[in-house]
Amino acid sequence: MKKGKKLYEGKAKIIFASADKNLVIQHFKDDATAFNNQKKANIEGKGILNNRISEHILSALKDVGIENHLVKRLNMREQLIELVEIIPIEFVVRNIVTGSLTKRLGIEDGTVLNKPLIEYCYKNDELGDPLVAREHIDAFGWASISELNLITENCLRINDFLQGMFKGINIKLIDFKLEFGKRKSDGKIILADEISPDTCRLWDSDTDKKLDKDRFRKDLGDVVEAYQEVARRLGILHEYVNNIRPIKFPKPTAVKIKKK
Ligand code: TMP
Ligand code: ASP
């Protein structure tokens, strides 16, 4: 697929035109930002890992009938996606309380929610992506109430699926952020953007070790190693990412069987 001109550059991704007016190319950068662009870094290999992880998750979601923008991965850093007009809302789904929710409402970090909580944030860096109500989304025409109901239903289905998928690889899905958009070809609302350790909180089920972007936000170190660990457990890390060697795990020690 021939790459056309740059259409948009975000903090972690670039969108290029393609030969088809309804399709674009999404390029994953190694750039990382936090706290609305106040903290910045280049994390070598992150874009490659997020491209692979997001491809894996969005393909799996497509297989269970959740329509999304992914057409196919093109190379290490790029995927072909359907062009959508992004709804300017970040849909945050939470299973366990942490992050901004702890700060905002003083609920104890680690509190397990009885049912998933969905929050809506207006995508606007200058305003710090403020929390908004469904009424704001309707009033300002960002999405109608019926569109919101459809998106909410999708958020819950995606949460169910992802929780199970991660549970199978001994990871707790704490919370995550989704974006939806209107497909250019037919106006249908579909899942867009990415799902990766940049957009999810993922904790090892046994140790609560953070395997996501909080390692960068909180200066915990080993950011790429954590993303690699997620990719490895998902079964998609078979090659070296840039020149970063995959984490070595000790070989299982041979068990001696005593002769009777
Ligand atoms: P928060 O606790 O900081 O509000 O984050 C909730 C979830 O949303 C967490 O999994 C990280 C993700 N997230 C993004 O993907 N992009 C963002 O800009 C923010 C603030 C959070
Ligand atoms: N959207 C935030 C930023 O740009 C990133 C985050 O905390 O995930 O800085």
Side-chain angles (χ1 to χ4, degrees):
M1 179 62 69
K2 206 171 150 258
K3 200 152 87 183
K5 66 170 188 205
K6 192 200 279 189
L7 299 177
Y8 171 81
E9 178 154 6
K11 286 173 287 190
K13 296 187 290 290
I14 309 174
I15 301 292
F16 294 95
S18 80
D20 184 325
K21 69 174 178 7
N22 290 324
L23 303 177
V24 290
I25 293 166
Q26 174 165 254
H27 175 106
F28 288 76
K29 301 191 280 185
D30 283 343
D31 295 349
T33 68
F35 316 116
N36 295 312
N37 232 352
Q38 289 173 45
K39 179 171 175 172
K40 289 182 195 174
N42 187 275
I43 300 168
E44 196 182 350
K46 179 178 81 82
I48 293 172
L49 286 156
N50 281 351
N51 184 23
R52 292 295 299 272
I53 294 171
S54 193
E55 175 210 11
H56 180 84
I57 295 177
L58 266 61
S59 305
L61 286 171
K62 199 163 263 181
D63 287 347
V64 295
I66 293 172
E67 271 198 85
N68 61 69
H69 71 171
L70 180 73
V71 178
K72 62 173 179 180
R73 187 167 64 84
L74 296 170
N75 54 51
M76 294 289 266
R77 285 191 184 271
E78 289 168 336
Q79 40 186 248
L80 189 64
I81 57 168
E82 291 184 291
L83 180 58
V84 298
E85 189 189 330
I86 287 284
I87 294 169
I89 298 295
E90 297 195 339
F91 297 85
V92 174
V93 185
R94 300 182 185 271
N95 297 308
I96 292 180
V97 177
T98 193
S100 70
L101 181 55
T102 307
K103 287 204 193 87
R104 200 181 331 119
L105 300 180
I107 313 280
E108 199 184 337
D109 199 284
T111 305
V112 179
L113 291 158
N114 288 332
K115 57 178 188 174
L117 173 68
I118 301 183
E119 292 179 331
Y120 311 99
C121 298
Y122 177 45
K123 266 170 74 74
N124 185 316
D125 274 351
E126 275 158 38
L127 300 175
D129 294 347
L131 192 72
V132 292
R134 287 165 67 94
E135 285 75 7
H136 293 108
I137 301 176
D138 182 38
F140 302 122
W142 296 322
S144 68
I145 292 294
S146 65
E147 288 171 337
L148 263 178
N149 289 342
L150 186 129
I151 292 172
T152 303
E153 197 186 303
N154 264 284
C155 285
L156 295 174
R157 280 186 66 202
I158 294 166
N159 185 43
D160 270 356
F161 179 82
L162 292 186
Q163 267 191 310
M165 192 188 82
F166 282 118
K167 196 170 183 182
I169 55 170
N170 216 37
I171 287 175
K172 283 191 273 191
L173 177 63
I174 306 302
D175 57 30
F176 58 101
K177 184 264 303 182
L178 298 174
E179 294 187 27
F180 292 81
K182 281 191 187 140
R183 184 156 60 191
K184 181 154 181 269
S185 58
D186 62 0
K188 186 168 182 188
I189 292 184
I190 57 168
L191 174 68
D193 194 53
E194 68 174 287
I195 301 180
S196 72
D198 263 14
T199 63
C200 300
R201 284 200 176 92
L202 304 168
W203 296 358
D204 178 84
S205 301
D206 296 328
T207 62
D208 279 352
K209 182 178 174 188
K210 294 180 195 334
L211 300 172
D212 57 64
K213 197 174 155 188
D214 268 352
R215 300 205 71 81
F216 167 67
R217 294 190 190 96
K218 294 171 180 271
D219 295 321
L220 299 174
D222 293 340
V223 183
V224 159
E225 288 76 5
Y227 285 40
Q228 282 181 333
E229 174 66 12
V230 173
R232 192 191 62 80
R233 289 193 200 182
L234 287 170
I236 53 177
L237 186 66
H238 303 301
E239 74 260 35
Y240 284 32
V241 171
N242 284 359
N243 55 359
I244 301 156
R245 255 186 279 150
I247 305 163
K248 281 202 187 111
F249 289 89
K251 283 194 188 123
T253 44
V255 181
K256 278 186 189 154
I257 300 165
K258 274 188 197 157
K259 278 184 191 158
K260 280 186 188 157

